[in-house]
Amino acid sequence: MCGQAREQNRAGGPHPVERNVVVSATNREIVEEIYAAANRGDLEAIAAKMHPDVVLHQAPSLPYGGDHMGVEATMACLVEMFTQHWEVGALTVRNIAVDGNMVISAVDLTATARPTGKQVEMPFRECFTLRDGLVVDLQPFYYDTAAIAAAFAA
C-alpha cells in the first residue's frame, strides 16, 4: 500500500489516512470520475479533481519520471505522457478499494508507445490520497517498468 511516510505535500508535511471523511461525492466516485475522464481524454475534468497541493509520483526510470508538485506540474506530466509518450487504448478499472481518504485502484492498461509503435498491456495499481474531495497525492505502480522501457527502445 502507499506508505504514509512517502506521502508528502509541497511543504513536506504528511498526508495521514483520515477515517470518516465526508465530501460531496464519495472518494470512490471521485476516482471513478478521474478514470472516466482519462478514457475520454478530458484533461480539464482530471485537473478539476486535483488539490492545489497535489503531488504525482512517477517511477524515476520512466521518461516522465519524478515528483510533479502542484496542479500545473501534475497536468503537464499527464499532457506529456498522453501527447508525447503514449496513445492509450484503454484503462480498464478492475477494482477500487477505499479506506478513509486513501483509494487504491487495480487497473489494466493497453497503450502504444508513440515513438516506436510498440504496444504494452499490463496491470498497474494507483494509490490516491484525497483531501476535501480532491486528489492531494497520486502514485502509480506499474507491473513491469522494464516492459515500458522496452516499448520506448528503438
Side-chain angles (χ1 to χ4, degrees):
M1 195 175 301
C2 303
Q4 289 181 12
R6 295 191 69 182
E7 299 172 24
Q8 296 182 343
N9 64 19
R10 199 177 322 186
H15 295 298
V17 174
E18 299 169 8
R19 306 277 193 275
N20 302 317
V21 176
V22 178
V23 293
S24 59
T26 69
N27 289 336
R28 173 187 298 275
E29 290 169 335
I30 292 164
V31 169
E32 288 171 343
E33 290 168 8
I34 290 169
Y35 284 117
N39 276 323
R40 64 177 186 270
D42 188 349
L43 294 173
E44 285 185 24
I46 295 171
K49 301 295 182 193
M50 299 294 141
H51 190 280
D53 292 331
V54 67
V55 180
L56 168 61
H57 308 275
Q58 289 283 5
S61 61
L62 299 175
Y64 40 85
D67 292 337
H68 307 274
M69 298 183 216
V71 175
E72 187 175 318
T74 294
M75 295 312 298
C77 176
L78 294 178
V79 167
E80 177 184 339
M81 285 174 54
F82 296 134
T83 61
Q84 295 178 27
H85 301 291
W86 294 110
E87 182 176 332
V88 176
L91 292 171
T92 305
V93 179
R94 298 290 177 202
N95 195 12
I96 294 177
V98 180
D99 184 12
N101 66 329
M102 185 173 288
V103 179
I104 308 290
S105 63
V107 181
D108 290 338
L109 167 70
T110 302
T112 302
R114 290 183 186 273
T116 64
K118 295 178 184 175
Q119 189 173 36
V120 172
E121 293 182 20
M122 75 173 64
F124 74 99
R125 305 297 179 257
E126 287 191 294
C127 180
F128 298 81
T129 303
L130 291 95
R131 183 190 320 144
D132 302 325
L134 299 171
V135 176
V136 72
D137 196 87
L138 174 57
Q139 187 163 19
F141 294 90
Y142 301 97
Y143 178 73
D144 189 352
T145 54
I148 293 172
F152 288 111

